[in-house]
Amino acid sequence: MSKKKRSKSSTISRRDFVKAAGVAAAGVGTSVAFPLGGGAQERKTLKILQWSHFVPGYDKWFDGEFCTAWGEKNNTEVIVDHISLGEINARAAAEVAAQQGHDLLMFLSPPAAYEDQVIDHGEIYQELEGTWGKPIDLGYKSTYNPKTGKYFAFSDSYVPDPANYRQDLWSQVGFPNGPDSWEDLHKGAKAIKEQFGNPCGVGLSQELDSNMALRGLLWAHGGAVQDEEGAVVINSPGTLEALKYMRKLYEDAQTAEVLTWDPSSNNRGMLAGKLSFACNAISITRTAEKQNPEMSEKIQLAPALMGPVRRIAAEHVMDCYVIWNFADNKAGAKQFLVDYIGDFANAFKASEFYNFPCFPQTVPNMDELIANDPAAKPPDKYKVLGTVLDWATNIGYPGFASAAIDEVFNTFVVPTMFATVARGQATPEEAAATAEKEVKRIFDKWK
Amino acid sequence: MAVVETKDLTKVFTPGERGAVNDVNLLTREGEFMVFLGPSGSGKTTLLRMIAGLEDPTAGEILIGGRVVTHLAPRDRGIAMVFQSYALYPHLSVYKNISFPLRAQGVPKEEHRGKVEWAAGLLGIGELLERKPRELSGGERQRVALARAIVREPTVFLLDEPLSNLDAKLRASAREELTEFHDRVGTTTIYVTHDQIEAMAMGDRIVVLHEGFVRQVGSPREVYDDPADTFVATFLGSPPMNLVDHGDVLVGFRPEHLLPRSLVEGQAVEIGLRVTGIEYLGSERILYALIDRDRFAEQRVVAKLPATYDVGAAGGDAVDFAVAERHLRFFDKTSEKRTGARALEWA
Amino acid sequence: MGLRRDAGRLGAAMFAPALLYIVALVGTPLVLAFLYSVGNVKVGSVGYEFVGLDNFISVLQSPTFRGALLHSFLFTVGAQLIVIISANILALALVDRFRGRGLVRFFILLPWVAPISLGAIGWKWILDSIYSVINWVLVQLHLVEPFDAPMWLGEGALAMLSVIMVHAWRMLPFSTVILLAGLTAIPKDIPEAAAVDGAGFWRTHFQITIPMMTPIINVAVLFGVVFTFTDMTVVYILTRGGPYNSTQVLPSLAFFTGILGGDLAEGAAISVFLVPILVVIAWLMLRLARRAEVV
């Protein structure tokens, strides 16, 4: 399943060549050891590991254009290894265990657990501040540990998690612009299911999309896993409201399929014309544009849904680069990130608006770009993402991302809590109490 | 008690090839001990397995007690069988081995103990009931197998070389026991063996089989003294019957009837021999020789002499031997079947 | 003398790769897992501190863990029960000669030969919420409504049944081959003797054949239990432990907690939690096998 691609900015590794030549020449004499050298500096290497981007064009731009140009300018051979998103954590754990690996490794969620193994990325932020200003709060809270005062990662970008709805269906039940609030969602989705049979697709499964969507639902109702100080507050009236809402939505407008999902299931469900609504990155609409133009016209985007307390959604993916303490080329890695932010306008375009900047000044004309997408129908389909910073937040909201939050995320405590209530396996009170027990236990471990 | 009858019974394993059993017609007598005798590959075991119902006949019929059982399952034939390996159930105690047929045939449980003890007592293994088969000697296993066969009082016993896994000494006493056992229970028994001594010692009648055909059916004396063909003549007896080429017939005589001239009384045929070798076998001597005269010269013959008689001859010596005329048997050279006596122009 | 010493050295050299393999790929991870489980190792931590049984005490507090423990047993016992019964039937069917037996044996072996991840992905699609072929057929036969088809992986009991069935599908060839070997090893005389003694098919099978195969069935079950208890592939690919953790088993939970969640020590504690259970099972099975040994 893993797609592994290795691209090199220059086809022959000079460093390897020199090494080999040196070995061969050892018996002959040192004078021929650097036949091509001529006093030139030795060429460096920068090894990067990141996911195979959802948008293939992005990897093409990143590997083929940006890295090649950067490598030439900095006399460095840039090697980019791509792996599938599910393998990143295991790979990172392996590199730490071996104390060697890549100079830059990109996580798709805040890697707080690795804080002791990485450099303080604060200096990268500092260096960028003069040119591009401070990063957005989302980036800051996803990479900073207030207890230690250390930046355990550097976040270049994030992926918004808007609402996707079938305009043709929703306009027939009185919501031509899709649902604006969770209440709208219940009302409209229920009507659609009753009239047309199409269920609503808020995931309740042990996977990324459900994890994200349900956090949005939780926060919108005033619940949260932790507070600003990192205390466990999951068993709250707000949480109970969110759970009651989910039970209602599930019973009136969903089917058990939401319990079976993997991260690509809601994409498939929308593209197959089955679902009336899903929370996801813009991968659904982008795929539709390429594979199913007819469906592409029907699927429109809406900002995060308004809840009784606030309008909010989690970022869908958080790009977090880390530089290991044991990295060979730390200086190169830092410089690479600084220069990458400098060219982020191109990255934004190459990712087809998938990756949004953590330094908004890098894409000054963003509103204009997203209002005129050549592939989108209508061309301003992605315009709603312009308000993303008003409603997107980090996983640990309202606190910081942390190792404990990460374990809660990866052991699917929140989806499980919602799913047991939706299926009537537990009352909201029981489910919240169970989740609290589990979350407290996890938080205690990471103190 | 019942008789077993086969009608044109045939078994062909590979179509197009010679059958393992061909057109066998047999009829046992009530309570008879019948032995199927033949070398390996003669079809005797296949024939027995067809009677047991373990092998489906290609053609022909089997009747047990007058009832056609050709296509019935073994369990519906009222037979019991003892296998060459005894086929005891290794995970069951002797008691459970013996009572298994009772259980399988739905005999009420409260009758089991009595019957098992009766069968075990009959075979003298009453002490072994709690043991597992692996804790028994070969002879004990054989008795357990017999007890298991007899316990439900079958109408016919089938025994497939039950003594071949015993050592020679044990085999002799087991033979005697088996005969005695048969005399006591009187059940019709079919016994398969390749051992002619067993066949001769135990059988009421012997069925000699060769290549799937019945060559002769008769009492031990009949098949030994009056073999129906050259196969039977040479298969039975150790050493086998001498066969001497004589025009369009073969002349047969048993080695024990080829004696020094002086010992043969009455009408006799004289045969001059040149001895090529002598084996001393304790109670008897085997003389290997070539016929030393005219047109029978150089034909090999074997003589068996009692140890009490001192031949005095050694290798290379020419001696005068003779066979009483009543001991001569004649076989047609082409059909190899027995044919009428005729005058010999011996000298 | 010299020759013998050379032979000894050669023997050591020939044996070394196997030893290296076992130490490197089996021994080290196992020792590490035990060390981790009584330490405070996190995925990004430096250093090691002994914490005794804290990790075990911690996981025992977790409702998810207790659920996973129960599911592990359910998963293992369920899958093995199906496997042993089916393997018995298959072995019986395959022991007799018939036309095309080789081909049938080959097909039955396929699930074992193919990588399990591949097979599990195939099953994931067969049981998919949208593209399930089973549901397609049911809909075509008008047995279920298109929007109301069973969600094989979406309902607690159904999902458990599904992972059990898929795992059984995968383990079946292995057990069948073992039982077939056991069946072939029984002398032909014995079932024949039973037939003559009056036993029918079932009696022969249950009172003679199966008891005689007990040692080898034990081996098949032992391997199957160990394989199933320690396997997370099917669960991970089909349900990732869902819905709401109702198919979560210990190995998958260990992976989520230790690797994805970052708490290596607790992940290790969850995974070595199985070891005493497996040791007891193995010991019991081997004892049973020895007692049932025949001839």
Side-chain angles (χ1 to χ4, degrees):
Chain A
M1 283 297 281
S2 102
K3 190 175 115 192
K4 193 162 181 182
K5 195 168 70 185
R6 175 174 276 251
S7 64
K8 295 183 178 183
S9 56
S10 63
T11 44
I12 305 162
S13 154
R14 223 242 344 272
R15 190 197 198 190
D16 287 349
F17 176 73
V18 170
K19 237 198 287 182
V23 171
V28 183
T30 44
S31 61
V32 283
F34 304 101
L36 307 172
Q41 259 189 315
E42 199 190 331
R43 201 170 149 94
K44 295 196 192 78
T45 305
L46 184 71
K47 287 179 287 178
I48 302 171
L49 180 76
Q50 59 190 42
W51 72 321
S52 299
H53 200 282
F54 167 75
V55 178
Y58 175 85
D59 283 349
K60 219 166 124 190
W61 170 82
F62 185 82
D63 301 1
E65 292 182 32
F66 181 75
C67 289
T68 309
W70 191 87
E72 272 165 25
K73 205 174 116 197
N74 293 283
N75 191 27
T76 302
E77 185 199 356
V78 183
I79 298 166
V80 188
D81 292 322
H82 294 277
I83 58 176
S84 76
L85 76 166
E87 288 174 59
I88 294 172
N89 288 50
R91 186 62 182 269
E95 293 202 357
V96 167
Q99 289 289 302
Q100 63 174 32
H102 294 80
D103 300 301
L104 269 177
L105 191 147
M106 192 186 91
F107 289 88
L108 293 169
S109 57
Y114 291 94
E115 183 172 332
D116 292 344
Q117 298 288 345
V118 298
I119 65 161
D120 189 341
H121 301 73
E123 49 183 303
I124 305 171
Y125 282 110
Q126 271 165 28
E127 189 163 344
L128 285 166
E129 205 175 314
T131 329
W132 305 110
K134 282 192 179 297
I136 56 171
D137 196 48
L138 176 53
Y140 165 67
K141 282 198 165 155
S142 296
T143 56
Y144 184 67
N145 183 346
K147 283 184 199 146
T148 57
K150 180 175 176 177
Y151 283 92
F152 53 78
F154 174 81
S155 192
D156 63 297
S157 66
Y158 67 99
V159 177
D161 199 19
N164 295 249
Y165 66 97
R166 277 278 298 280
Q167 197 172 37
D168 57 326
L169 296 175
W170 281 84
S171 53
Q172 292 180 71
V173 294
F175 297 95
N177 295 318
D180 182 58
S181 66
W182 287 99
E183 244 354 275
D184 286 355
L185 179 70
H186 175 249
K187 218 177 345 153
K190 183 178 180 207
I192 290 171
K193 186 158 189 267
E194 279 163 4
Q195 282 182 39
F196 309 108
N198 300 63
C200 173
V202 176
L204 285 169
S205 186
Q206 327 240 29
E207 49 92 26
L208 178 81
D209 290 9
S210 303
N211 236 336
M212 294 300 182
L214 295 171
R215 275 177 169 71
L217 171 62
L218 182 68
W219 296 326
H221 286 77
V225 176
Q226 63 173 9
D227 63 12
E228 282 97 334
E229 270 72 53
V232 177
V233 294
I234 194 166
N235 195 355
S236 69
T239 302
L240 295 182
E241 284 309 306
L243 289 170
K244 283 174 196 154
Y245 172 85
M246 191 65 232
R247 173 138 180 86
K248 201 168 61 165
L249 180 70
Y250 179 81
E251 286 201 322
D252 295 342
Q254 302 220 111
T255 68
E257 71 179 298
V258 295
L259 293 136
T260 73
W261 282 356
D262 61 38
S264 59
S265 299
N266 55 8
N267 297 47
R268 291 197 298 272
M270 286 297 284
L271 293 174
K274 193 176 178 189
L275 301 176
S276 67
F277 177 92
C279 296
N280 203 340
I282 62 171
S283 54
I284 293 176
T285 50
R286 285 303 188 200
T287 311
E289 283 155 20
K290 282 162 197 150
Q291 295 174 2
N292 194 344
E294 192 193 338
M295 194 52 74
S296 169
E297 282 178 58
K298 293 178 185 165
I299 302 171
Q300 298 299 329
L301 301 177
L305 299 181
M306 183 71 190
V309 177
R310 57 178 79 89
R311 178 189 302 278
I312 197 166
E315 36 74 14
H316 189 77
V317 166
M318 200 77 209
D319 276 21
C320 294
Y321 278 104
V322 299
I323 301 169
W324 301 122
N325 279 331
F326 51 81
D328 291 327
N329 189 0
K330 287 185 201 129
K334 283 184 223 167
Q335 188 58 46
F336 182 89
L337 290 176
V338 170
D339 294 341
Y340 174 61
I341 295 302
D343 202 19
F344 194 81
N346 285 322
F348 180 65
K349 278 177 248 167
S351 77
E352 298 173 3
F353 310 159
Y354 193 77
N355 289 78
F356 271 53
C358 281
F359 296 86
Q361 292 179 36
T362 56
V363 194
N365 58 340
M366 185 164 87
D367 286 343
E368 192 189 318
L369 286 172
I370 58 178
N372 293 291
D373 189 283
K377 281 178 189 166
D380 64 348
K381 180 187 270 189
Y382 296 101
K383 199 178 162 190
V384 296
L385 299 178
T387 60
V388 63
L389 288 176
D390 299 336
W391 43 264
T393 191
N394 63 295
I395 292 296
Y397 174 85
F400 287 78
S402 68
I405 281 290
D406 198 38
E407 188 178 335
V408 171
F409 186 86
N410 277 312
T411 50
F412 309 108
V413 177
V414 172
T416 302
M417 174 177 77
F418 276 101
T420 47
V421 173
R423 293 288 298 173
Q425 299 288 315
T427 65
E429 290 77 12
E430 288 164 358
T434 306
E436 183 184 31
K437 201 173 171 192
E438 197 73 62
V439 173
K440 278 198 163 147
R441 197 182 65 81
I442 292 170
F443 269 61
D444 283 347
K445 294 191 304 182
W446 290 93
K447 261 183 189 146
Chain B
M1 273 352 91
V3 296
V4 176
E5 186 174 5
T6 69
K7 290 181 176 167
D8 299 322
L9 198 60
T10 299
K11 177 72 190 180
V12 180
F13 283 109
T14 318
E17 286 182 17
R18 183 172 58 78
V21 171
N22 304 293
D23 297 316
V24 170
N25 290 287
L26 287 173
L27 177 60
T28 69
R29 297 180 189 130
E30 195 76 45
E32 183 181 27
F33 196 115
M34 180 179 260
V35 177
F36 293 173
L37 176 67
S40 61
S42 61
K44 57 190 188 302
T45 296
T46 306
L47 182 55
L48 186 79
R49 289 170 58 82
M50 282 195 282
I51 294 167
L54 297 172
E55 212 78 71
D56 231 7
T58 311
E61 273 191 345
I62 302 162
L63 293 89
I64 295 178
R67 189 167 62 113
V68 177
V69 297
T70 317
H71 297 291
L72 291 184
R75 59 200 281 201
D76 299 324
R77 298 187 178 200
I79 49 154
M81 183 159 168
V82 174
F83 291 75
Q84 186 173 3
S85 65
Y86 312 137
L88 299 181
Y89 310 127
H91 58 293
L92 299 179
S93 67
V94 169
Y95 178 86
K96 289 208 165 147
N97 260 283
I98 299 175
S99 66
F100 184 83
L102 301 175
R103 276 206 285 167
Q105 305 222 317
V107 174
K109 194 146 192 185
E110 56 274 14
E111 295 175 28
H112 288 192
R113 177 140 301 263
K115 284 179 185 281
V116 170
E117 276 168 4
W118 164 74
L122 208 59
L123 286 143
I125 50 170
E127 306 301 307
L128 307 176
L129 291 179
E130 298 314 313
R131 300 231 192 128
K132 285 278 177 68
R134 65 169 177 277
E135 299 165 329
L136 302 177
S137 72
E140 287 165 343
R141 286 180 200 192
Q142 185 237 337
R143 287 171 204 216
V144 174
L146 274 171
R148 185 175 72 184
I150 192 177
V151 71
R152 62 196 161 91
E153 299 164 68
T155 54
V156 175
F157 265 140
L158 306 177
L159 296 95
D160 185 8
E161 311 216 20
L163 305 185
S164 63
N165 283 339
L166 303 180
D167 61 53
K169 215 170 180 181
L170 207 52
R171 208 177 302 167
S173 62
R175 224 159 48 208
E176 200 187 325
E177 275 173 28
L178 255 179
T179 313
E180 202 180 294
F181 171 77
H182 175 254
D183 291 346
R184 197 142 21 115
V185 297
T187 308
T188 308
T189 301
I190 299 177
Y191 185 105
V192 164
T193 185
H194 66 273
D195 182 334
Q196 49 172 306
I197 299 175
E198 275 175 27
M200 302 290 285
M202 298 161 80
D204 291 330
R205 278 193 301 164
I206 296 174
V207 178
V208 183
L209 286 143
H210 180 52
E211 293 183 335
F213 291 95
V214 173
R215 292 307 184 97
Q216 188 171 6
V217 182
S219 68
R221 176 175 291 278
E222 278 165 359
V223 294
Y224 189 80
D225 286 349
D226 291 302
D229 58 22
T230 53
F231 171 77
V232 179
T234 50
F235 183 69
L236 282 165
S238 173
M241 185 178 263
N242 292 305
L243 287 177
V244 178
D245 209 324
H246 189 270
D248 57 344
V249 293
L250 293 168
V251 181
F253 47 89
R254 295 261 168 218
E256 61 268 31
H257 295 142
L258 179 61
L259 295 167
R261 182 67 189 96
S262 57
L263 294 183
V264 183
E265 288 162 18
Q267 288 275 49
V269 179
E270 289 181 21
I271 303 173
L273 297 179
R274 197 172 69 246
V275 178
T276 57
I278 299 173
E279 278 174 2
Y280 294 89
L281 298 179
S283 66
E284 62 203 22
R285 275 159 220 195
I286 309 292
L287 223 72
Y288 296 92
L290 293 171
I291 296 177
D292 200 22
R293 296 202 193 127
D294 35 64
R295 65 191 182 96
F296 303 104
E298 304 308 319
Q299 292 203 49
R300 294 195 162 275
V301 290
V302 178
K304 188 151 90 178
L305 301 172
T308 46
Y309 182 80
D310 184 12
V311 202
D317 289 359
V319 285
D320 282 336
F321 270 55
V323 182
E325 268 182 8
R326 64 194 159 89
H327 288 137
L328 293 176
R329 302 290 181 266
F330 299 85
F331 302 92
D332 184 87
K333 211 167 172 181
T334 43
S335 71
E336 301 190 336
K337 297 263 181 252
R338 186 79 179 272
T339 174
R342 60 183 67 189
L344 292 178
E345 301 155 26
W346 202 253
Chain C
M1 275 296 276
L3 199 68
R4 190 185 295 169
R5 200 178 309 139
D6 281 354
R9 228 176 273 152
L10 182 69
M14 300 291 256
F15 184 64
L19 193 69
L20 201 69
Y21 172 84
I22 289 173
V23 169
L25 296 179
V26 181
T28 313
L30 194 69
V31 170
L32 266 183
F34 275 106
L35 280 179
Y36 279 10
S37 71
V38 291
N40 66 342
V41 189
K42 302 280 195 272
V43 78
S45 64
V46 278
Y48 175 89
E49 198 184 307
F50 180 76
V51 297
L53 294 176
D54 283 4
N55 294 314
F56 293 95
I57 293 163
S58 172
V59 290
L60 280 169
Q61 311 291 320
S62 158
T64 313
F65 173 80
R66 291 199 298 262
L69 192 60
L70 181 73
H71 301 147
S72 270
F73 277 99
L74 203 63
F75 180 58
T76 305
V77 172
Q80 277 311 299
L81 220 59
I82 294 171
V83 164
I84 282 303
I85 293 171
S86 317
N88 256 301
I89 297 170
L90 271 180
L92 267 184
L94 289 178
V95 76
D96 289 323
R97 299 193 144 275
F98 59 87
R99 217 191 233 304
R101 179 175 71 163
L103 200 69
V104 174
R105 283 187 176 185
F106 169 76
F107 278 124
I108 283 175
L109 260 177
L110 270 186
W112 184 255
V113 179
I116 176 58
S117 46
L118 215 64
I121 287 165
W123 279 104
K124 188 173 163 57
W125 283 106
I126 292 171
L127 302 169
D128 188 74
S129 58
I130 304 168
Y131 297 110
S132 162
V133 286
I134 299 176
N135 286 354
W136 184 83
V137 170
L138 291 178
V139 169
Q140 294 299 307
L141 295 174
H142 298 288
L143 292 172
V144 297
E145 295 297 316
F147 282 112
D148 198 30
M151 288 300 144
W152 301 104
L153 305 176
E155 328 225 353
L158 215 50
M160 190 41 124
L161 191 72
S162 298
V163 293
I164 286 176
M165 290 306 289
V166 172
H167 193 79
W169 166 85
R170 179 232 187 160
M171 291 299 294
L172 185 57
F174 173 76
S175 293
T176 305
V177 168
I178 291 192
L179 291 200
L180 202 53
L183 209 53
T184 321
I186 293 179
K188 214 169 125 238
D189 284 1
I190 297 217
E192 284 179 355
V196 172
D197 282 346
F201 171 82
W202 295 109
R203 185 184 294 274
T204 307
H205 195 58
F206 283 105
Q207 293 184 359
I208 305 294
T209 316
I210 288 190
M212 283 186 71
M213 290 205 299
T214 307
I216 206 143
I217 289 178
N218 273 332
V219 170
V221 170
L222 178 60
F223 271 81
V225 162
V226 172
F227 259 77
T228 311
F229 242 125
T230 55
D231 186 82
M232 61 172 268
T233 321
V234 172
V235 166
Y236 184 75
I237 290 178
L238 288 188
T239 65
R240 294 171 64 86
Y244 45 89
N245 280 333
S246 50
T247 60
Q248 193 73 272
V249 290
L250 295 184
S252 57
L253 184 64
F255 179 74
F256 286 124
T257 308
I259 303 297
L260 299 186
D263 191 348
L264 280 179
E266 191 172 301
I270 293 171
S271 58
V272 302
F273 202 90
L274 298 167
V275 172
I277 301 172
L278 291 180
V279 167
V280 170
I281 292 174
W283 180 75
L284 278 177
M285 290 277 183
L286 293 176
R287 231 174 88 101
L288 210 66
R290 211 171 27 235
R291 200 175 325 149
E293 222 162 68
V294 288
V295 191

